[in-house]
Amino acid sequence: MTYTQTQDSLTGGVPDQGEVLRLLEPDGSRVADATLDPWVSDLSPHELRALHRDMVLTRRLDAEGVALQRQGQLALWAPCRGQEAVQVGTALALAPGDFVFPSYREHGVLLGRGAQPADYVLAWRGEEHSAYDHTTINAAPPQIIIGAQSLHATGWAMGAQRDGSTDVAVAYYGDGATSQGDVNEAMVFASSFRAPVVFVCSNNQWAISEPVTVQAKYPIAGRAPGFGIPSLRIDGNDALACVAAMRWALDRARLGEGPSFIEAVTYRMGPHTTSDDPTRYREPGEVEAWAQRDPIERLEAYLRAEGILDDSGLDEVARAADALAAEVRAACIGATTRAPETMFDHVYAEPHAGLDRQKAEYVDYLAGFEK
Ligand SMILES: Cc1ncc(C[n+]2csc(CCOP(=O)(O)OP(=O)(O)O)c2C)c(N)n1
Ligand SMILES: [Mg+2]
């Protein structure tokens, strides 16, 4: 579905919730789409293999994150299984100078930005406020406050605009986040100032235990034109569609045409986080139906049919994925745990009397255990 005019959201009733733009059917067959096709016509076999490889790597490292949490090595993990196409596909379209503002679930986006093994896990282990240097991989720390990153991205974009740069900010958030004031405020600002920002909404059908149908009586992508922001509603399990839509949005931003909105319709195959039990609120049949639309199997089927990927290529990718998972595990288990009171460090750049007092109280509290 394309929402290019404000009018689209005001007329014509509620479009079918299933109506999305796509280039790959669930069985991997290639279909034409006049809006998306021009943006992926130049993808080389090498780039297509990289797209597939990063998706497999993301799935493998995500499984390792879950395992590490189950083994007591991480406090929490937010699984992204099922959402690899939107994360990896949109990240692949970025330029090095672009800056992403991810949520807690965007492991595939971080991979695309060049994150190192420790970067995925140290914050979830409680070792660091932010595991990576955000200026190295041009990614803000994973945001836990739902939707807050949309404002940060818009502010960054307005800064880039004033610097006269062509760099673009990207805010990644979920379907539930679109009910937050922050997201709506960000869209007003982005539209008013024609900020070079892309809003990527991964509609994974659930906001913890709340189904998207409760808070979206109209396709989420259909809201954006009301803010003056063109949008696309794409199949978020189709990696080619994700690359194409992101290139469309980035191009608009770089040409000074302002913000764009992408609703990627996908599915969260796992629990909300490792603290959640989704069997309490969703039917197994729903999960099974979405398993038939798996993003990795879909791209694999297409690449095999095109002669771009074969058994030996798949073996090589599986080995690389296991190697990455082993590195992530080693970085996690081998991390040096610092003194607990260091969590007060680096909160402010300048000395802060209130924080110093809290730190002193906490040191006293810890000393109580030694008596
Ligand atoms: C401002 C705020 N309110 C509530 C929460 C608790 N919370 C954590 S995740 C979540 C659901 C988010 O759903 P969605 O935006 O669809 O993203 P998803 O988790 O599905 O990727 C909520 C309500 C929070 N972290 N921040
Ligand atoms: Mg969601």
Side-chain angles (χ1 to χ4, degrees):
M1 192 77 187
T2 314
Y3 298 92
T4 47
Q5 292 165 4
T6 310
Q7 221 178 348
D8 283 353
S9 64
L10 302 175
T11 59
V14 179
D16 174 5
Q17 288 276 351
E19 207 175 327
V20 290
L21 302 183
R22 68 165 64 92
L23 293 171
L24 292 179
E25 294 288 351
D27 67 1
S29 52
R30 180 75 161 82
V31 288
D33 181 273
T35 305
L36 299 181
D37 268 319
W39 298 102
V40 286
S41 57
D42 67 328
L43 276 182
S44 67
H46 176 75
E47 287 170 313
L48 288 166
R49 276 193 292 269
L51 180 60
H52 169 267
R53 180 191 172 92
D54 278 3
M55 286 167 67
V56 173
L57 260 54
T58 299
R59 182 162 296 186
R60 183 66 186 85
L61 90 86
D62 185 58
E64 201 65 18
V66 173
L68 284 164
Q69 193 282 334
R70 295 296 186 227
Q71 293 158 6
Q73 298 293 341
L74 297 178
L76 189 76
W77 185 259
C80 69
R81 191 161 60 89
Q83 300 180 216
E84 296 88 353
V86 49
Q87 298 187 1
V88 172
T90 56
L92 184 123
L94 296 168
D98 298 334
F99 205 103
V100 301
F101 294 79
S103 84
Y104 42 78
R105 205 181 296 290
E106 256 82 44
H107 315 301
V109 174
L110 297 183
L111 183 110
R113 299 309 280 165
Q116 296 302 301
D119 296 349
Y120 302 104
V121 283
L122 292 195
W124 298 112
R125 194 178 162 88
E127 306 289 5
E128 304 280 351
H129 295 306
S130 171
Y132 43 86
D133 174 354
H134 62 266
T135 60
T136 307
I137 62 171
N138 273 17
Q143 182 58 256
I144 309 288
I145 306 165
I146 301 301
Q149 70 274 32
S150 55
L151 289 168
H152 307 158
T154 302
W156 191 96
M158 289 168 65
Q161 186 181 46
R162 280 151 185 74
D163 287 346
S165 105
T166 54
D167 297 333
V168 180
V170 186
Y172 285 92
Y173 49 77
D175 45 292
T178 64
S179 294
Q180 289 288 123
D182 282 4
V183 170
N184 292 275
E185 290 157 17
M187 289 170 77
V188 170
F189 263 82
S191 174
S192 301
F193 290 92
R194 292 172 82 88
V197 56
V198 181
F199 299 107
V200 178
C201 173
S202 294
N203 175 359
N204 64 5
Q205 312 300 320
W206 292 92
I208 313 185
S209 57
E210 180 169 283
V212 65
T213 46
V214 170
Q215 56 185 316
K217 303 301 182 196
Y218 190 78
I220 293 170
R223 297 181 195 169
F227 292 89
I229 300 177
S231 68
L232 296 179
R233 185 169 201 259
I234 59 164
D235 185 331
N237 285 11
D238 169 357
L240 292 189
C242 294
V243 175
M246 194 63 175
R247 285 181 165 182
W248 162 81
L250 290 167
D251 193 59
R252 292 193 67 254
R254 290 195 218 290
L255 290 173
E257 292 173 9
S260 307
F261 186 99
I262 298 169
E263 178 191 0
V265 179
T266 180
Y267 194 74
R268 191 196 80 209
M269 294 300 290
H272 170 69
T273 66
T274 46
S275 298
D276 174 46
D277 173 9
T279 64
R280 294 180 61 181
Y281 56 81
R282 67 182 186 186
E283 298 298 325
E286 179 182 300
V287 183
E288 283 156 25
W290 279 93
Q292 305 306 313
R293 304 172 211 170
D294 185 78
I296 296 182
E297 286 175 16
R298 184 183 308 202
L299 185 62
E300 239 164 62
Y302 170 66
L303 296 182
R304 271 183 182 277
E306 292 290 307
I308 293 171
L309 197 62
D310 57 13
D311 285 343
S312 78
L314 284 170
D315 285 350
E316 195 275 317
V317 171
R319 276 197 300 277
D322 282 341
L324 172 62
E327 285 176 5
V328 169
R329 171 168 289 269
C332 176
I333 293 173
T336 306
T337 298
R338 289 179 298 169
E341 64 271 22
T342 59
M343 71 175 165
F344 293 97
D345 299 344
H346 309 300
V347 175
Y348 293 101
E350 305 284 324
H352 188 288
L355 209 59
D356 288 346
R357 195 169 57 246
Q358 283 183 39
K359 183 173 179 175
E361 285 167 9
Y362 190 58
V363 169
D364 275 354
Y365 168 76
L366 292 174
F369 293 100
E370 289 160 11
K371 287 177 189 147

